[in-house]
Amino acid sequence: MISAFDKELLRDRRLTTGRLDSRFVGTDREATGERNEFDPSYAAIQGPFTAMFYAYAHDALGWTSDLPYEALTDRVSPWSFREWSNEYLNVAEDLRRAMAVNPSLKVFVANGYYDLATPYFATRYTFDHLGFEPNYPQRVTMRYYEAGHMMYIRHAELRKLKEDIAAFLRSAGGG
């Protein structure tokens, strides 16, 4: 369980690591326990991202509301995982089926080395075990970044991500 890893990795220093980006560290009230009190990486970005969203929505889109912006919360609906009750969520078969139905479909995967929300080795494992037809691996582009879940919070990785996506779009479009 990732939350146990976040709590255990730096327990001897009374620190916890972030789930979205394990380079971020925090301090819990208690060094004991199975999981950290909060995700230090999310705590670092939540305020700036929310403020940025409000500024963009208001200034660029002209939208205002008294409703709070809900990010990564169970108050956002209609998210439901009932279909996967008592099992893990696996959409690999949906992707395999989409690639089978659309032979022109190409996939770009951005992986952050410090992402514990979607660890890059898990991503690689998933793509290595999709039951690919012989041409499927040629239709998947994987890129890796010195970052966590949101590689765009680090300027150098944002630049690299932009270049990689532009190159992918050029190749996917045939030119």
Side-chain angles (χ1 to χ4, degrees):
M1 184 157 68
I2 295 298
S3 58
F5 179 82
D6 292 338
K7 183 75 174 184
E8 189 63 36
L9 182 65
L10 302 175
R11 187 186 301 268
D12 61 330
R13 293 171 33 202
R14 298 186 58 83
L15 298 173
T16 61
T17 60
R19 178 176 169 264
L20 296 175
D21 193 323
S22 60
R23 295 171 300 167
F24 288 77
V25 296
T27 306
D28 288 349
R29 177 182 174 132
E30 305 274 340
T32 61
E34 294 296 316
R35 55 186 334 144
N36 54 7
E37 290 177 36
F38 64 98
D39 179 346
S41 54
Y42 182 65
I45 62 164
Q46 179 184 17
F49 274 42
T50 301
M52 227 176 358
F53 170 77
Y54 276 123
Y56 174 73
H58 181 268
D59 300 343
L61 303 178
W63 179 80
T64 59
S65 174
D66 291 335
L67 296 173
Y69 175 63
E70 300 284 352
L72 297 178
T73 175
D74 59 0
R75 292 183 294 241
V76 176
S77 295
W79 289 58
S80 173
F81 296 98
R82 279 188 219 116
E83 183 180 341
W84 298 278
S85 180
N86 293 322
E87 61 183 81
Y88 68 94
L89 177 62
N90 181 2
V91 295
E93 175 56 22
D94 296 325
L95 177 59
R96 188 215 55 80
R97 188 178 307 112
M99 292 180 79
V101 170
N102 182 354
S104 298
L105 178 64
K106 295 182 180 181
V107 178
F108 179 85
V109 182
N111 296 281
Y113 290 123
Y114 304 102
D115 179 2
L116 298 179
T118 53
Y120 77 94
F121 274 127
T123 304
R124 286 183 52 190
Y125 180 88
T126 298
F127 277 87
D128 287 346
H129 294 86
L130 271 182
F132 279 147
E133 295 300 318
N135 75 334
Y136 281 21
Q138 299 148 14
R139 293 165 48 196
V140 176
T141 300
M142 284 208 189
R143 295 293 178 258
Y144 301 90
Y145 303 90
E146 288 288 328
H149 191 69
M150 295 176 277
M151 58 279 312
Y152 43 81
I153 67 172
R154 205 166 158 244
H155 199 303
E157 299 309 299
L158 170 63
R159 192 174 315 119
K160 183 180 176 198
L161 176 66
K162 181 181 183 285
E163 292 168 4
D164 290 345
I165 290 174
F168 172 75
L169 291 174
R170 282 191 301 273
S171 72

